[in-house]
Amino acid sequence: MSELDDLLRQKAEIEARIVEVRASEIERLKLDFAHLAYKLRELNGLPRAVVDVFTDKSGTFNSYRVMKVKKP
């Protein structure tokens, strides 16, 4: 049973690491997406529907705030 216990422990560690890596990858991609949306907006290259999603009620475009990431 000790081999099984060891394998189950390793499995739990690997699964925890997968969750950590996935979370950091998602945050990185969200930041990349917010940055890309901001650049495309400056070039008037975003579709109107996307601009509307990133624009608040006061008319301010802020992809970083909407994506809940901090500007680099």
Side-chain angles (χ1 to χ4, degrees):
M1 289 304 269
S2 69
E3 183 178 355
L4 178 59
D5 291 338
D6 185 45
L7 290 172
L8 289 172
R9 181 189 53 75
Q10 288 176 18
K11 178 183 175 192
E13 290 173 357
I14 291 170
E15 288 173 345
R17 180 70 180 133
I18 287 170
V19 169
E20 290 174 11
V21 170
R22 181 181 292 143
S24 67
E25 184 69 10
I26 288 171
E27 286 304 310
R28 186 189 63 78
L29 289 171
K30 284 171 59 176
L31 179 61
D32 290 349
F33 185 71
H35 187 66
L36 181 61
Y38 187 79
K39 282 186 167 188
L40 286 169
R41 172 72 170 125
E42 288 179 336
L43 299 170
N44 293 321
L46 277 178
R48 186 72 203 157
V50 177
V51 172
D52 292 342
V53 169
F54 289 127
T55 303
D56 61 16
K57 291 179 183 178
S58 66
T60 303
F61 181 87
N62 193 331
S63 57
Y64 294 98
R65 182 175 53 237
V66 173
M67 295 298 294
K68 297 180 181 166
V69 295
K70 294 188 179 194
K71 274 187 180 179

